[in-house]
Amino acid sequence: MNIRKAELMDLNYLAELFDQYRVFYKKNSDVESTRLFLKTRIKKKESEIFVSFNNEGKMTGFTQLYSSFSSTTLKRFWVLNDLFVHQDFRRQGYSIALIEKAK
């Protein structure tokens, strides 16, 4: 298992996974709009996206975090907004590993 930050070279499969995530939440499939959304987030550094891979190099899941700020602590913090593991790779520890990487 390998986890790293998503890069532009990951967009094609990441967009497919992200689209499956959206469909899971009852949104219409739209891979092209999803690809553009993710490309913009990565290029503008508006979020942190981590992707997981199995030992054969196949992308298995992702998590996306957005930054925010706390007025009371005067610090930035990260909100884990999205977490998804492809159904073929669930119950194998990928979600836990993605959350740990996000920490």
Side-chain angles (χ1 to χ4, degrees):
M1 180 182 309
N2 181 35
I3 298 176
R4 63 169 171 75
K5 283 187 181 180
E7 301 172 10
L8 288 176
M9 69 179 188
D10 299 316
L11 271 178
N12 288 335
Y13 196 69
L14 178 57
E16 290 178 26
L17 270 181
F18 204 90
D19 190 64
Q20 292 172 25
Y21 166 73
R22 292 182 68 252
V23 168
F24 178 84
Y25 284 103
K26 310 294 187 231
K27 304 300 179 195
N28 292 331
S29 177
D30 187 346
V31 177
E32 287 308 312
S33 293
T34 299
R35 183 179 286 110
L36 179 60
F37 176 83
L38 293 168
K39 183 178 181 180
T40 303
R41 300 294 76 71
I42 292 170
K43 282 183 125 180
K44 292 186 174 188
K45 298 183 180 184
E46 294 176 336
S47 69
E48 293 288 339
I49 303 171
F50 293 98
V51 287
S52 60
F53 298 87
N54 69 5
N55 292 333
E56 289 78 43
K58 181 172 176 78
M59 190 181 294
T60 59
F62 67 87
T63 188
Q64 181 167 218
L65 299 96
Y66 291 101
S67 69
S68 190
F69 294 91
S70 168
S71 300
T72 57
T73 64
L74 307 176
K75 295 181 180 178
R76 173 184 284 201
F77 66 94
W78 293 89
V79 176
L80 192 154
N81 196 73
D82 308 300
L83 174 65
F84 183 76
V85 174
H86 186 280
Q87 65 183 8
D88 293 346
F89 299 99
R90 292 181 186 155
R91 305 182 75 72
Q92 297 178 36
Y94 288 101
S95 61
I96 293 169
L98 283 162
I99 290 169
E100 287 301 313
K101 186 69 169 182
K103 288 179 184 179

